[in-house]
Each structure stands twice: as structure tokens, then as C-alpha cells.
Amino acid sequence: GVLRTDGRENLITAIEIAGTKVTITVSEPFVNGNVIDVDYTVPATNAVRDPAGNQVASFVSAAVTNNVV
């Protein structure tokens, strides 16, 4: 996947999946006001699944809510 902060790629350093929650750690921390979006390509193994167990489809430029205050 690719994650962008204010249009610039922000290196993904770790991804953790626990139940229905996906936590992404990036090299450059977010600050209030950053615009964040992410791309996801379904991998060959360990694909993200929704709560019903369905494989999540690939997506491009999905907006991420920035709750940093």
C-alpha cells in the first residue's frame, strides 16, 4: 500500500491487523491539518477482510480521517 500525507508519500514502517482494526505506522508522524489518503492493493496472502470475512477490494486515494489535535 501507499500512504500520502499532504500529497507526499509517507513511508509505511509497520502494519498491524487486529480483528476489524488496521493500524498503520508511518515514518513521518501526522500533525493537525494534514490531509491523509491511502492506496491498498490486495496481496497474494494475508489480505484485509471485512467483519463478514469478505476480502477487501483494492482501492486508490481513500481519505483517512485525521483526528490529531
Side-chain angles (χ1 to χ4, degrees):
V2 176
L3 189 137
R4 286 173 293 279
T5 304
D6 296 330
R8 295 182 323 268
E9 187 171 340
N10 194 344
L11 180 66
I12 296 172
T13 58
I15 298 175
E16 181 182 337
I17 301 172
T20 60
K21 182 178 179 180
V22 177
T23 301
I24 300 172
T25 304
V26 292
S27 60
E28 205 174 309
F30 305 123
V31 297
N32 183 285
N34 282 143
V35 175
I36 306 161
D37 66 276
V38 65
D39 299 346
Y40 172 73
T41 303
V42 176
T45 60
N46 296 327
V48 174
R49 298 196 175 275
D50 68 15
N54 302 303
Q55 185 172 299
V56 174
S58 297
F59 53 84
V60 177
S61 295
V64 176
T65 300
N66 181 352
N67 290 323
V68 177
V69 288

